[in-house]
Amino acid sequence: VNALCGGNGAGKSTFLGVLMGMLRRDAGSVTVKGREVNFSSPAEALDAGIAIITQELSPFLDMTVAENLYLGREQRRGRFFVDDKCMLSDAEAILARLKFNIPAGARLRDLSIAQAQLVEITKAISRRSDILIMDEPTSAIGEREAQMLFDAIRTLTAEGVGIIYVSHRLTEIFEIADDYTVFRDGRFVGGGSISEIDRKGLIRSIVGRDLLDHHREPKDTGPQKPLLEARGFASKGKFADIDMTVHAGEIVGIYGLLGSGRSEFVNALYGNEPRDSGQVLIEGKPIDLKTPADSIGAGISLVTEDRKQTGLSLTASVAHNITVANLPHYARKGFMNGSAEGRSVVEHIKRFSIKTASPDLPVQSLSGGNQQKVVLARCV
């Protein structure tokens, strides 16, 4: 396992796109098992035994898990008929082998983001590739599912599979990787055995300087009135009897396994999903939050778990995605004040260090990490 490390915009995803034939390179060579290759499409890379799990999921939501796993290589009865029964059986077998508790006959639309991520991982593994590229495979799954993935990785490497592993989580890198490679600002800056570098040294290589250790002291809120209270939240079959309190300047972490109701609770609190019961208080005053517009009006923003499906308008510009939730702020007498909006966009791009050649570029042209910064900029 070779861990490919680097900050947002370092060039990791672009480099992997070149390896997979999704992007054309300007120079250099790629060899697979000693033979030079020049892939012009992902299909050629797949045929050569290289598979990739990208950080941006692209499942077919109205197909089943089994149909997604074998898309483009469906098992058949004779020449013309797809063998659904055989595909379902094989899908159940590989999911059981990987210990992923996901029904093979379920439609992707009915699964959580974390489960969809595990399906993508299973799809790549099911190809029995010699080389497996994992680009942020744990970004949408919890610790328990991550450990299941690491067990699967150990099984694969024991069978002779080589893995390129991309992650911003250094704990994962030191747990699963044998070697590391570091990119910074589109350049190779170093690499070697993971056993020959420590956490501080790897961080220094990634960011180009030493970072200070920040120790968070517990905050004493004392008699301070809570900023936000959720009381008695319930939604049948999803969560029940949820109470939560958040004070000004405080960070509250919500923990739970896959399917425990964390995302469903947050979406119900924000007004994205209905709830059966529950009361919201802001600074001690009850407030009725039935829609996201109500929440935005009350000063609440939501960073969704899936920026591609629900967090961004991918074909719209970076600028539009930053200001879209607060357009009245940039309007005068019903007309947009373009210069005020432009100044705000430039300010937020600088504040969040968003790497983009222009605010007018479509946000889908940015790297995944920079897209996430755009989501945060919009919320702010």
Side-chain angles (χ1 to χ4, degrees):
V1 179
N2 191 315
L4 178 55
C5 310
N8 291 326
K12 304 185 299 298
S13 294
T14 302
F15 171 71
L16 297 179
V18 168
L19 286 187
M20 286 298 298
M22 292 184 277
L23 300 170
R24 301 295 292 172
R25 65 181 184 269
D26 298 316
S29 63
V30 179
T31 59
V32 177
K33 296 181 179 179
R35 182 174 63 87
E36 187 166 335
V37 295
N38 187 19
F39 303 133
S40 59
S41 70
E44 292 182 8
L46 289 168
D47 289 341
I50 306 175
I52 187 169
I53 302 159
T54 62
Q55 57 179 300
E56 302 292 354
L57 303 183
S58 53
F60 287 83
L61 298 179
D62 290 311
M63 287 184 172
T64 65
V65 170
E67 288 168 339
N68 270 273
L69 290 184
Y70 293 102
L71 186 66
R73 52 196 180 102
E74 292 83 359
Q75 295 167 357
R76 298 182 179 275
R77 288 182 286 112
R79 292 180 61 189
F80 304 108
F81 298 98
V82 173
D83 193 337
D84 291 308
K85 188 175 181 180
C86 186
M87 283 200 306
L88 188 66
S89 175
D90 285 358
E92 288 173 344
I94 191 168
L95 287 165
R97 175 189 166 216
L98 296 173
K99 298 178 182 176
F100 292 168
N101 187 23
I102 301 171
R107 297 198 178 278
L108 264 289
R109 186 176 298 283
D110 299 324
L111 301 183
S112 69
I113 295 299
Q115 288 174 316
Q117 180 71 288
L118 292 178
V119 171
E120 287 288 300
I121 291 165
T122 306
K123 184 195 297 184
I125 291 173
S126 72
R127 291 182 172 275
R128 303 189 182 280
S129 301
D130 299 316
I131 301 161
L132 195 55
I133 300 169
M134 297 185 171
D135 191 359
E136 298 279 0
T138 60
S139 60
I141 62 179
E143 288 185 27
R144 180 170 172 267
E145 293 76 37
Q147 288 302 321
M148 292 161 54
L149 171 62
F150 296 160
D151 289 341
I153 288 174
R154 293 183 184 103
T155 299
L156 291 167
T157 53
E159 295 172 356
V161 175
I163 294 175
I164 299 174
Y165 190 90
V166 180
S167 178
H168 289 289
R169 300 177 181 178
L170 297 189
T171 303
E172 292 182 358
I173 290 171
F174 282 98
E175 178 175 351
I176 201 67
D178 302 295
D179 299 304
Y180 71 95
T181 301
V182 179
F183 287 2
R184 187 169 66 241
D185 296 328
R187 294 180 180 275
F188 168 81
V189 294
S193 171
I194 204 73
S195 62
E196 296 175 355
I197 194 169
D198 60 11
R199 187 184 181 92
K200 282 189 176 180
L202 187 56
I203 292 173
R204 188 186 310 116
S205 186
I206 291 169
V207 301
R209 66 182 190 281
D210 287 318
L211 293 184
L212 299 174
D213 290 328
H214 293 285
H215 178 66
R216 287 182 63 86
E217 296 291 342
K219 289 187 178 178
D220 181 13
T221 55
Q224 179 186 354
K225 186 181 291 186
L227 183 63
L228 171 72
E229 295 173 86
R231 296 178 180 172
F233 264 64
S235 180
K236 189 174 181 180
K238 297 177 180 177
F239 56 85
D241 303 323
I242 303 293
D243 295 323
M244 188 182 71
T245 302
V246 183
H247 292 85
E250 181 181 53
I251 298 171
V252 176
I254 301 177
Y255 285 80
L257 298 176
L258 187 64
S260 62
R262 297 164 302 176
S263 298
E264 290 82 357
F265 163 67
V266 169
N267 276 295
L269 176 65
Y270 189 66
N272 259 349
E273 295 182 6
R275 61 181 185 267
D276 298 324
S277 63
Q279 184 184 32
V280 181
L281 290 86
I282 294 181
E283 296 182 333
K285 299 177 182 178
I287 186 167
D288 193 15
L289 303 179
K290 291 183 177 178
T291 68
D294 294 336
S295 297
I296 292 171
I300 301 173
S301 289
L302 174 67
V303 178
T304 66
E305 65 178 337
D306 184 354
R307 62 175 173 265
K308 186 175 181 181
Q309 295 291 338
T310 56
L312 293 167
S313 176
L314 291 172
T315 56
S317 68
V318 172
H320 178 74
N321 275 277
I322 290 175
T323 61
V324 66
N326 197 24
L327 292 178
H329 180 72
Y330 307 106
R332 290 180 182 175
K333 297 180 180 181
F335 292 92
M336 287 294 294
N337 184 336
S339 58
E341 183 184 18
R343 286 194 300 272
S344 179
V345 167
V346 170
E347 175 190 328
H348 283 86
I349 287 175
K350 184 177 180 181
R351 179 177 180 181
F352 285 91
S353 301
I354 299 170
K355 292 191 176 183
T356 177
S358 167
D360 299 321
L361 284 176
V363 75
Q364 65 185 1
S365 67
L366 272 58
S367 69
N370 283 292
Q371 288 180 13
Q372 190 72 4
K373 290 179 182 180
V374 172
V375 175
L376 292 169
R378 185 189 68 236
C379 290
V380 169

